[in-house]
Amino acid sequence: MSSSYAHLLRGKAFLRGQWIDALDGCVFNVTDPAGGRLLGTVPDMGADDARAAVAHAHAAGPAWRALPVQVRAAHLMAWHALILKESEALAALLSAEQGKPLAEARGEVLHGAAYLHWFAEEARRIQGDVLPPPVGGKRMLVTKEPIGVVGAITPWNYPNSMVTRKCAPALAAGCTMVLKPAESTPLSALALAALAEQAGLPSGVLNVVTGDPKAIGTMLATHPLVRKLSFTGSTAVGKLLSQQAAGTVKRLSLELGGNAPFIVFDDADVERAVDGVLRAKFRNAGQACISPNRLFVQARVHDAFCARLAEKSSALQVGRACEPGVAMGPLIHEQALARVAALVDGAVAEGARVLTGGLRLPLDGPFYAPTVLVDVRQDMRISATEVFGPVAPVCRFETEQQVLTWANDTPYGLAAYVYTADMRRIFRMLDALECGMVAINDTAMSNEGAPFGGVKESGFGREGSSYGLDDYLVLKYACIGGLD
C-alpha cells in the first residue's frame, strides 16, 4: 500500500509556501495503529514555530482578500480537482495512519473534496445589503469582510475531511490560515497541503504546523493576530481554548463531544433501524462525535432489535485497513482501547449484559470487538460518557416522554437519531430534542450543504452550508450622509 501514496508523503511542515523543519530540528514518529509500522516523521514544532506561521498568514492576508472572489474560487476548484485525481493515494494514506477501512477512507476523501467545491461556488454569493435610511440624503450599506487570520485545530478521527471542512470556507471568505493537525494523523493534512501548493495557492495563505498540541493551541488561542479559532475535539480542550481566547475576544467555532441518542420506537422498521446502527455506530470503529452512544429501544421491539443487532454486529469483519472485506479497523491507540474496555467492564459490573463482543480481539494492534450491551440503565457511567469506540449500549424504554427525558439528560447536544413511522411523532421529537442535528429514519446526516454543529457543551458555530461561510465573515456597516 505504501508505494501508492509515497509521492504525497511530506516530512516537513508547510509555512510561507515552503517545506521546513522545526526551529529546534526536533521530529516525532507517525505510526500505523494496526501494528505500529513507522510511516514517517514530521517536525515537532512548538509555540515559536506557530507564531512564525501566524506572521506569514497575516502578511499574506491583504493580497489574498483583495483577489476577486472568482480567483479565490478558482484556486479552491483546482485544489478540489487534484484531490479527486489523487483520491486513491489519499485514501490509502488516510487508512495507513488512522486505521479505518479503505472503503471508509475513500468516502472521507470524497466528502472532504466536496467542501472545496461547495465553498468555491458559495464564495460567489457573499452579499451585503442596502438598508432603508431613516431620513433623506443618506445611504446605509452593510458589507461582509473576511475576519482575518484563522487558526484551525483538526482531530485524528477524520484527518482529511476535517481539514477541508475548515479550510474551504475560510479561504473562500478571503481569510488566511494556520492549521494544526492532530499529532496522531498529520500526514493526511500535509498531503493536502502539497496538493494545495500544486493548485497554486499563494504563499502564506495556508500554513500547516505539526507538533506540540498544548503549546501550539495556546499560541493560536492567545495570539492577537489570530482573529478566529476553529477547533474540533474534546469538550475539555474546547473549554480550555475558550478561556484562553477570551483575552483577545477571539471568535470561536467549537465542535466538541457528543452523547448521541439513537431512539427506536415500536412502530419503526426494525431491520432498517438495525442497519442504521451498524452504519453509524461501527463506522470508524465508533470513533466519531456523532456516533450513537445511547440506544433507546421501545419495549415491544426491544428483544427482537437487540437479537438482530447482536447477530449482525458479530458478523462484521474486523482487521487491518488494507485487508479485503474488512468492515472495521482498530482504535487509534492502546489508551483508547483501554478506555473502551474499562467502560464496558464497568457497565457489566453495574448490571449490564454482553450480547456480543466485549473483548479485545487477538490481532496485532488495538482491535476491540463490535459490542452490544443490554440491560443498560441511565445511571450507569457508560450512559453519561462518550464511549468513542465500537460499543452499542441498549436501554429499554416504555413511553415517548420517558425517552425524551433520558435523551436530553446530558450536557451534550450534538446529534440524535430517531426511527419511527409516525409523522406527528417525528415533529414532536424534532421540537423537543436538545441537539444541533437530528436524523430521522436515516444516519447519513453530514454533507457539505448542511450546517454541522451542536448546542450545550457540544459547542457552537456551524461547518458546511452558507451558515458555515458566515462564521468566517464580519459585518461592516457604512452610513453615508450629505447626499441630498
Side-chain angles (χ1 to χ4, degrees):
M1 183 193 291
S2 61
S3 61
S4 68
Y5 59 74
H7 63 294
L8 292 178
L9 284 176
R10 296 294 185 273
K12 296 179 184 292
F14 188 62
L15 276 72
R16 67 181 186 281
Q18 300 179 20
W19 296 95
I20 67 170
D21 296 312
L23 291 172
D24 60 7
C26 290
V27 299
F28 65 92
N29 294 335
V30 183
T31 58
D32 182 346
R37 175 173 56 102
L38 179 66
L39 300 176
T41 61
V42 298
D44 192 1
M45 292 179 153
D48 289 340
D49 303 90
R51 193 172 292 109
V54 171
H56 299 317
H58 180 67
W64 178 247
R65 67 182 288 170
L67 287 176
V69 67
Q70 292 87 348
V71 177
R72 293 202 302 269
H75 281 295
L76 295 183
M77 291 300 288
W79 193 9
H80 169 265
L82 286 170
I83 290 174
L84 295 186
K85 179 182 177 183
E86 296 285 2
S87 60
E88 280 298 305
L90 288 167
L93 174 57
L94 195 167
S95 286
E97 70 169 343
Q98 201 275 337
K100 67 181 61 177
L102 192 56
E104 282 189 26
R106 289 185 179 120
E108 180 180 337
V109 170
L110 296 179
H111 180 57
Y115 284 97
L116 292 170
H117 194 286
W118 169 272
F119 283 107
E121 295 181 329
E122 195 66 19
R124 300 169 182 268
R125 292 181 278 276
I126 299 175
Q127 300 170 350
D129 288 295
V130 178
L131 307 180
V135 295
K138 283 190 176 186
R139 292 292 185 272
M140 297 166 62
L141 312 178
V142 179
T143 57
K144 295 182 180 180
E145 298 181 350
I147 195 169
V149 175
V150 173
I153 302 174
T154 55
W156 52 261
N157 56 340
Y158 289 92
N160 182 291
S161 61
M162 291 297 99
V163 170
T164 54
R165 196 159 85 176
K166 295 182 188 302
C167 289
L171 299 183
C175 302
T176 54
M177 295 193 73
V178 177
L179 170 70
K180 194 276 175 193
E183 56 274 22
S184 296
T185 56
L187 298 177
S188 289
L190 293 172
L192 287 171
L195 296 180
E197 180 187 29
Q198 290 181 37
L201 205 64
S203 170
V205 170
L206 174 64
N207 305 273
V208 183
V209 294
T210 57
D212 185 341
K214 183 176 181 180
I216 295 172
T218 298
M219 196 287 305
L220 292 175
T222 57
H223 199 299
L225 292 181
V226 177
R227 303 294 172 81
K228 160 74 184 271
L229 181 63
S230 177
F231 170 74
T232 298
S234 73
T235 295
V237 174
K239 289 179 178 180
L240 177 61
L241 291 172
S242 183
Q243 292 169 0
Q244 293 172 340
T248 52
V249 197
K250 206 180 304 299
R251 185 187 290 185
L252 294 173
S253 290
L254 301 176
E255 198 263 283
L256 308 176
N259 195 5
F262 191 105
I263 303 169
V264 182
F265 286 97
D266 57 17
D267 63 349
D269 182 328
V270 170
E271 195 69 18
R272 184 185 183 98
V274 168
D275 289 341
V277 173
L278 291 173
R279 286 190 300 271
K281 177 72 257 187
F282 300 118
R283 181 189 299 124
N284 204 18
Q287 300 171 120
C289 55
I290 61 171
S291 178
N293 204 58
R294 299 169 294 151
L295 277 64
F296 299 112
V297 183
Q298 201 158 17
R300 189 166 64 86
V301 296
H302 175 274
D303 292 350
F305 175 92
C306 291
R308 189 64 172 145
L309 179 60
E311 177 187 354
K312 288 196 167 186
S313 299
S314 62
L316 293 174
Q317 183 177 336
V318 181
R320 293 174 61 89
C322 56
E323 296 171 358
V326 166
M328 196 181 86
L331 294 170
I332 189 63
H333 46 54
E334 288 292 336
Q335 298 95 312
L337 186 144
R339 179 180 177 277
V340 169
L343 284 169
V344 171
D345 293 346
V348 171
E350 293 178 273
R353 288 188 297 118
V354 176
L355 281 192
T356 188
L359 74 167
R360 180 180 190 139
L361 294 174
L363 300 171
D364 186 14
F367 291 90
Y368 197 81
T371 298
V372 178
L373 299 176
V374 294
D375 298 337
V376 176
R377 302 187 310 275
Q378 275 294 96
D379 61 352
M380 291 181 177
R381 179 167 176 256
I382 199 168
S383 295
T385 306
E386 185 177 23
V387 177
F388 233 63
V391 180
V394 184
C395 182
R396 183 193 305 259
F397 75 92
E398 298 290 341
T399 68
E400 181 178 320
Q401 188 54 54
Q402 180 187 47
V403 77
L404 267 173
T405 300
W406 288 352
N408 289 334
D409 185 20
T410 173
Y412 301 104
L414 186 57
Y417 304 86
V418 178
Y419 278 71
T420 180
D422 187 332
M423 186 60 68
R424 292 170 299 179
R425 175 181 283 144
I426 286 173
F427 284 98
R428 290 197 301 269
M429 299 300 287
L430 285 174
D431 288 343
L433 285 167
E434 297 172 355
C435 58
M437 301 175 288
V438 183
I440 306 292
N441 298 323
D442 195 7
T443 58
M445 66 169 65
S446 178
N447 71 82
E448 68 278 6
F452 190 102
V455 299
K456 300 196 288 188
E457 292 190 19
S458 287
F460 47 81
R462 293 296 182 266
E463 294 185 314
S465 79
S466 59
Y467 302 104
L469 189 60
D470 284 342
D471 272 6
Y472 295 89
L473 296 165
V474 291
L475 298 178
K476 179 177 284 184
Y477 159 58
C479 180
I480 305 172
L483 301 179
D484 49 355

